[in-house]
Amino acid sequence: MPPGSRTTRTRLHSARGRSTASQRWLSRQLNDPYVKAAKAAGWRSRAAFKLIELDDRFGLITPGCRVLDLGAAPGGWSQVVLRRGGPAARVVAVDLLEMEPLPGATLLRGDFEEEAVEQALRAALEGPADLVLSDMAPNTTGHAATDHLRIMALAERALDLALKVLKPGGAFVAKLFQGGAEREMLARLRRHFAAVRHAKPPASRKESAETYVVATGFRP
Ligand code: SAM
């Protein structure tokens, strides 16, 4: 849990006194202890705590590690890798969105699925990766089955890339929506990694369907 606890709750209402979806989102942000703690610690996102919690549990970030961060904006996970991996850590991060410069990281803008972007990522890595992270999420449609399929497709393609760039013994982390990994993806993960586990870090909102798959001990 982040330091500090909330003592007051902020409530927002529309002119007609009824909360709108965006006001509910804002109210939740204002009352979220992780949002406050992220701001206090200088993390660019509350999502930083999810990687901190996954790393505390699975020991993913090692000194001087080389990491590919897929769907990295605004850069919270990349910051965590750089702080925990020490001065020799190297991060290559990609996102569809522009990111503020982050000392120690190479930031690329684009769709990681495009051939040219993949080539640029692999060139920037300058060698095999210890860890491939995917916190990517497609824009949700609100239709649970469609959202599940879309996030699974993104995770599958992140895994395709991870299998090409990881070094033996490396690790892969990807965001999924509940329903877990499809049988086919799980089978692929088990074929290529010594251990495959599902984790929902405490910083992941309970009401959110998101969960993470953590695969360690890559065997090509
Ligand atoms: N881990 C990040 C952090 O701590 O700041 C937050 C990542 S955010 C939840 C997910 C990101 O995935 C979005 O910024 C989105 O633009 C990106 N994304 C989704 N699909 C992508 C794709 N095909 N290529 C690159 N980035 C993508």
Side-chain angles (χ1 to χ4, degrees):
M1 275 294 286
S5 61
R6 76 190 120 146
T7 49
T8 54
R9 288 189 68 82
T10 309
R11 283 183 194 284
L12 298 174
H13 294 283
S14 68
R16 287 176 302 175
R18 199 162 12 107
S19 286
T20 63
S22 62
Q23 282 174 320
R24 275 200 302 279
W25 178 86
L26 185 56
S27 174
R28 193 177 63 182
Q29 285 291 104
L30 291 170
N31 289 307
D32 185 332
Y34 282 103
V35 172
K36 290 178 187 160
K39 218 172 169 188
W43 300 121
R44 292 181 177 188
S45 63
R46 82 184 284 295
F49 289 108
K50 298 178 199 171
L51 183 59
I52 288 171
E53 290 163 355
L54 290 172
D55 184 44
D56 286 346
R57 185 165 160 202
F58 299 106
L60 302 164
I61 302 167
T62 49
C65 55
R66 192 192 305 252
V67 178
L68 178 59
D69 187 1
L70 301 172
W77 282 27
S78 291
Q79 285 180 300
V80 171
V81 171
L82 290 168
R83 280 201 212 170
R84 292 196 157 195
R90 173 198 296 257
V91 172
V92 176
V94 64
D95 204 289
L96 298 166
L97 307 174
E98 189 78 46
M99 286 171 69
E100 289 291 315
L102 184 58
T106 303
L107 309 180
L108 297 168
R109 185 170 180 191
D111 183 338
F112 83 104
E113 294 185 57
E114 282 176 15
E115 183 62 29
V117 176
E118 179 181 323
Q119 292 311 324
L121 288 172
R122 297 180 71 169
L125 272 173
E126 293 181 333
D130 298 284
L131 177 61
V132 175
L133 302 170
S134 166
D135 195 22
M136 286 185 292
N139 290 331
T140 49
T141 63
H143 183 258
T146 306
D147 290 340
H148 179 70
L149 285 175
R150 292 174 65 190
I151 200 164
M152 283 309 304
L154 257 188
E156 288 268 9
R157 292 190 295 264
L159 175 60
D160 292 340
L161 180 54
L163 296 180
K164 291 187 218 167
V165 303
L166 276 176
K167 72 165 64 149
F172 172 68
V173 175
K175 173 150 71 189
L176 307 174
F177 278 168
Q178 245 146 39
E182 305 282 308
R183 198 181 306 174
E184 205 179 302
M185 179 161 172
L186 260 185
R188 273 179 89 202
L189 285 165
R190 292 206 174 106
R191 212 165 36 245
H192 287 289
F193 293 87
V196 179
R197 287 158 292 193
H198 285 277
K200 182 161 175 84
S204 174
R205 293 188 169 103
K206 278 192 201 70
E207 66 274 21
S208 154
E210 81 176 8
T211 176
Y212 291 84
V213 66
V214 178
T216 51
F218 175 59
R219 9 175 219 241

